[in-house]
Amino acid sequence: MTDQEFDIIDELYFVTSFTDLQKQTGLPTEELIRVLTGLIGKSYVKCLFPDQDTEVPFDGEHFELHHAAYFFLASKAGLLAHNTTL
């Protein structure tokens, strides 16, 4: 797990909006999108859209266009990977 991935998962113990996640990590938009896409691909992060209660399958094109409206939550696998990283 990269430092960026670790920092993102660290913020996703609770549902977090894209905007809040960007503020907390300080990552530029394009970089945050890239790292989140990788974490979602590993099943470490769940996508929620259009509200924080609705989990949706990842759609890269939709995410690129509407990333600011998404919410995220670390999955059990993501939390396990985060907590076993030294």
Side-chain angles (χ1 to χ4, degrees):
M1 181 173 285
T2 68
D3 289 343
Q4 289 176 329
E5 290 173 331
F6 185 89
D7 292 344
I8 289 171
I9 296 280
D10 203 40
E11 297 297 328
L12 297 179
Y13 275 72
F14 300 98
V15 175
T16 304
S17 70
F18 183 89
T19 305
D20 287 344
L21 186 58
Q22 188 171 29
K23 286 177 190 173
Q24 295 300 322
T25 62
L27 292 172
T29 301
E30 295 78 21
E31 187 71 10
L32 183 54
I33 289 171
R34 183 187 66 73
V35 178
L36 273 171
T37 300
L39 288 168
I40 293 163
K42 294 177 185 177
S43 298
Y44 286 179
V45 172
K46 297 178 184 183
C47 295
L48 303 139
F49 182 88
D51 56 56
Q52 46 188 312
D53 296 319
T54 308
E55 186 175 350
V56 295
F58 182 69
D59 177 343
E61 287 182 32
H62 190 268
F63 180 59
E64 287 276 337
L65 295 172
H66 304 285
H67 58 270
Y70 274 74
F71 295 86
F72 305 94
L73 180 65
S75 67
K76 183 177 180 179
L79 294 174
L80 286 171
H82 178 265
N83 289 324
T84 58
T85 301
L86 299 175

